[in-house]
Amino acid sequence: MKPAYHLKAFLAFLIAITFSFVSFSQTTIIPYGSIWKYLDNGTNQGTAWQASGFNDAAWASGASELGYGDGDEATVVSFGGNAANKFVTTYFRQSVTIANPALYSNFTLNVEYDDGAIVYVNGVEVARARMTNPISFTKLADNPAIEDQVSSFTIPTASFSVGTNVIAVEVHQQAINSSDISFNLQLLGNDVFSASLTRGPYLQMANETAITIRWRTSAAQNSRIELGTTFGTYPTVVTDATSVTEHIIRVTGLTADTKYYYRIGNSTNMGAPDASKFFTTVPPANATRKIRIAAFGDCGRNNSTYQDQNLANYQNYLTTNGIDAPDAWILLGDNAYNAGTDAEYTSNFFGIYGNSLLKNHKLYPAPGNHDYGNNAGNKGSRAMPYYNNFTTPQLAESGGVASNKPNYYSYDIGNIHFLSLDSWGTEADDANKDMGAAGTSNLKTWINNDLAANTRKWVVAYWHHPPYTKTSHDSDNGGGGDPELPLIRQNFITYLESRGVDMIVCGHSHGYERSYLLRNFTGSWTSFVPGTHAVSSSSATYTSNSTCPYVYNSTPANHGTVYVVAGSSGASGGIQANFGAYAMPFAVNNAGIFYFETEGNRLDAKMLRSNGTVFDQFTIMKDVNTTTNYNIVNGSSVNLAASWPQSGNYTWTNTAGTTRSVSVTPPNNATTNYSVTDAFGCVTDQFSVTTTGTLPVSILTYDVRLNNNKVDINWSTSTETNNKHFTIERSANGRDFTAIGTVNGAGNSSSILQYSFVDFNPLIGTSYYRLSQTNLDDHKEYLRVKQVINNTGKDFEVKAFSGGSGILSVQINSSNNSVYQLRIYDMQGRERKNEMLNCNSGVCKKEFTLEAGVFVYEVMNSKGEKISQKVLVN
């Protein structure tokens, strides 16, 4: 029986990862699926075709896999006109450039063939499979016939020349009436440096301007990283002279949302250039592109049936969709079975992902019970290998508020704020020691401060133990070995829901389960009542009018939360009674990867099943179904834009157009209503445009300028009628605006009046400022838009929040050692505090006692760069 194509590819993948255990640092020189020249006319080519000087211009070319008979070939070759007497030999050639073979200790050649093959490099044989001498073009492969064998060979460095090298392969049939042949080939270069490399590289604690790169060597040595934005060119060098085996190097001074290639090594040897060693710095909050996240739960089982298949399918998904790497790779715990030992991490986690994801995926882990040795006696320990293996942003190096804990922390990726939590460990300094404890706790206090300071659109929390599950674990079975599950449901999740968490993702159960949009459901599994506990009972798959997205506004915060169980990246098995029912109806007992994307106010998620299909998908939209009123002068035009992104056409009423934004010129002295709807009639925005001969406000001037790291906005009016106030709005793309301040109007005036507003913390890059005016009857009129380009980056961030009792905490996150001047003003402009702070790189905090009210803090570094913002003290 013929193996299916995905099984053949999987067998090739197993060969590749098996050899990756020998050296975690390999460079792909010829990938599977590459283009080959081939000759399939049954002629005898002798030996000249094997050498580099042979002219193969007349040969055909095509992508591998090449062959016939299986039905899965990318390129079908000929066997001649007689099925009973087919060509015995088919020839393949490819030229490849290797700039410096000496950078590699040796090369790994993985060849897929059916039935026999011989491989030559620059005319010299380097490998053969199932072929005995003497060789001729009519020589049949050895008995018995095989089906798509994959063999791996180690090729010495001396086989390759500097510059162009020719790989030539002849594939032979085992019989002249054989039904098929197959050919595919992968060539990997093994770095010289990798002889001492036992783990890594892997990427930690990334933010917009910095990243930590880690690796492990068998012997102590110094550290060197080279990087740049062009592959093969590495102008930036970071070194550490300390001789260590655990290399943890922080790279700073980078540009946000920029792809960097890198290589690691020491002062003597550097790893070879490798196109798969790259990272993209974190996109800023105002990024308009899609933000992509992959979540792996319970992955470290070293199970080829699930872990390896999921990896192969996930990589195929990225390739098919043109994705280099997601913006974050989150781990849901149980990252190395069975006891989370360092050896298990080496074989079950770093060994599996070392030659693929770890080189280019920015990693943000959470621990599970197996990371604690699956031993309740270790709950208070922070000496487990998990804590030695990962560097987490506990000091707010990647955004959020510092937790000062290695096991739970927060960070920002684009417009998403993440909480990575620990559902197993306990805290020695906390009376209520874990997530399942009732009442207040240090953890809850930190979460409260962190989410109060958050300004990102989306909030996603993840940890190991799920509050709802009926897969391999039972969330109702608190007394049966999982006491954390019901306690977390009863004592913790409503705390998050009430603070605006949009989605909670967990592992532990080895299947996939997904809820409705839930709120305040803390009872047992069968006590779920859709009308009481589900804000929406739609499937939210967003494929029809009956499966509309979950839709809500950002405020109030208690809008509902989607719960996902995704603990099947490395395991699958076992279900409990009522699996796939009640609050978690979208469920499958199978392995897979959870993947989601945000774009503005839209979130799309899916479960990538290990067999290559998508099992489940859902969509959430926030702050849609809007109503907007415009007042414009007769004969003027106005741009109308839908509040949500989508890939297909938009449906507009009272105007032509199918794009997200349209320009309309309504009739004079009238009110004209417009609307825009999505493809299924699930979401609709309304617009009312009123035209008049004169406007309530006549704008005389409108000026927006960048001035010493702040933006000054000034405007003047010649007349005002019933003018309540002006609103200043800011946008990163000229389409999605957010209000950043208001200025009171004059009501009625016929004199020239001057107005101003200052944005003390402008966006980096291009931004747009829109001025609107609101009448006393609350009708709004959009007046002017101006663009500003701010290329002045800052090497520090400031966050401030009130802890109650008049306490104001100011936190400076700095990439360099610096002296900062901190001033605090009240709303009358009076200076209330003025202090100089000597801060090392990392986090620097200061607390002040003030009366309740609104204040402005201003932080200036030694270069004169300032960050200012309002803060409420309670």
Side-chain angles (χ1 to χ4, degrees), residues 12-26:
F13 169 76
L14 284 181
I15 291 288
I17 65 169
T18 298
F19 278 82
S20 76
F21 293 162
V22 177
S23 167
F24 291 120
S25 184
Q26 293 180 304

Side-chain angles (χ1 to χ4, degrees), residues 366-535:
N369 48 286
H370 284 276
D371 298 298
Y372 280 94
N374 202 28
N375 184 343
N378 293 332
K379 285 192 170 194
S381 172
R382 300 297 177 264
M384 305 302 294
Y386 170 90
Y387 292 102
N388 298 325
N389 291 334
F390 297 118
T391 304
T392 59
Q394 58 179 299
L395 300 180
E397 296 93 337
S398 301
V401 171
S403 68
N404 298 301
K405 301 288 185 180
N407 52 323
Y408 63 82
Y409 56 92
S410 64
Y411 59 97
D412 297 321
I413 305 288
N415 66 350
I416 312 174
H417 184 68
F418 288 93
L419 298 173
S420 175
L421 305 179
D422 180 2
S423 57
W424 182 259
T426 58
E427 301 300 321
D429 60 350
D430 198 346
N432 292 318
K433 295 184 177 182
D434 55 31
M435 284 176 51
T440 60
S441 65
N442 292 344
L443 172 65
K444 287 182 178 179
T445 299
W446 168 74
I447 289 174
N448 184 66
N449 291 333
D450 180 79
L451 293 183
N454 173 54
T455 59
R456 307 296 166 119
K457 187 73 166 179
W458 298 94
V459 180
V460 176
Y462 61 95
W463 62 81
H464 187 62
H465 293 84
Y468 315 106
T469 183
K470 288 287 184 178
T471 311
S472 58
H473 294 273
D474 186 346
S475 57
D476 282 346
N477 191 17
D482 278 312
E484 297 80 15
L485 276 58
L487 292 175
I488 289 171
R489 182 175 67 251
Q490 295 159 12
N491 299 322
F492 192 72
I493 61 170
T494 56
Y495 190 83
L496 296 182
E497 289 178 357
S498 65
R499 285 157 178 80
V501 174
D502 299 288
M503 185 167 67
I504 291 172
V505 189
C506 299
H508 196 50
S509 270
H510 299 162
Y512 173 83
E513 300 167 274
R514 194 258 296 179
S515 73
Y516 298 116
L517 183 64
L518 302 182
R519 181 168 61 199
N520 300 330
F521 175 48
T522 61
S524 64
W525 193 267
T526 57
S527 69
F528 172 75
V529 178
T532 302
H533 303 123
V535 179

Side-chain angles (χ1 to χ4, degrees), residues 630-640 654-655 662-674 687-692:
Y630 293 90
N631 294 285
I632 62 174
V633 175
N634 288 337
S636 299
S637 300
V638 64
N639 286 321
L640 311 178
N654 283 339
T655 184
V662 298
S663 178
V664 298
T665 307
N668 293 342
N669 300 313
T671 296
T672 307
N673 295 319
Y674 303 87
F687 306 87
S688 177
V689 184
T690 299
T691 54
T692 60

Side-chain angles (χ1 to χ4, degrees), residues 661-861:
S661 177
V662 298
S663 178
V664 298
T665 307
N668 293 342
N669 300 313
T671 296
T672 307
N673 295 319
Y674 303 87
S675 66
V676 59
T677 305
D678 67 328
F680 302 115
C682 294
V683 185
T684 301
D685 286 349
Q686 305 283 348
F687 306 87
S688 177
V689 184
T690 299
T691 54
T692 60
T694 60
L695 290 176
V697 171
S698 295
I699 294 293
L700 193 62
T701 61
Y702 177 54
D703 184 64
V704 180
R705 295 179 184 272
L706 183 66
N707 179 21
N708 290 328
N709 300 325
K710 64 183 187 300
V711 173
D712 295 328
I713 304 155
N714 298 284
W715 67 100
S716 62
T717 64
S718 56
T719 61
E720 297 182 30
T721 303
N722 295 326
N723 179 20
K724 184 177 182 180
H725 62 253
F726 297 95
T727 302
I728 299 89
E729 300 176 347
R730 188 178 65 192
S731 169
N733 57 14
R735 181 185 63 223
D736 304 310
F737 284 88
T738 300
I740 60 172
T742 60
V743 175
N744 290 334
N748 297 292
S749 173
S750 57
S751 303
I752 295 176
L753 299 176
Q754 305 289 336
Y755 295 92
S756 65
F757 181 84
V758 180
D759 182 2
F760 288 100
N761 195 21
L763 303 176
I764 301 300
T766 300
S767 56
Y768 302 84
Y769 290 85
R770 182 169 68 181
L771 184 66
S772 68
Q773 174 266 330
T774 302
N775 295 339
L776 293 175
D777 59 2
D778 287 327
H779 281 280
K780 180 176 286 188
E781 166 193 353
Y782 291 94
L783 302 172
R784 303 283 177 88
V785 177
K786 289 276 189 176
Q787 181 190 74
V788 167
I789 298 176
N790 177 20
N791 291 323
T792 304
K794 301 181 179 72
D795 57 7
F796 70 103
E797 297 177 327
V798 183
K799 297 181 180 296
F801 55 92
S802 176
S805 301
I807 301 298
L808 174 63
S809 296
V810 180
Q811 174 179 301
I812 302 172
N813 305 326
S814 175
S815 59
N816 302 301
N817 296 344
S818 186
V819 177
Y820 295 91
Q821 184 176 31
L822 171 59
R823 291 189 176 101
I824 299 176
Y825 301 88
D826 61 23
M827 297 311 293
Q828 285 72 46
R830 296 173 298 189
E831 185 180 274
R832 303 295 297 276
K833 303 289 182 181
N834 187 338
E835 295 198 22
M836 303 299 294
L837 304 178
N838 287 295
C839 296
N840 296 325
S841 62
V843 174
C844 186
K845 293 193 295 185
K846 182 70 176 180
E847 286 190 351
F848 301 92
T849 301
L850 298 161
E851 72 272 17
V854 178
F855 296 84
V856 174
Y857 65 82
E858 177 187 274
V859 177
M860 181 174 67
N861 67 7

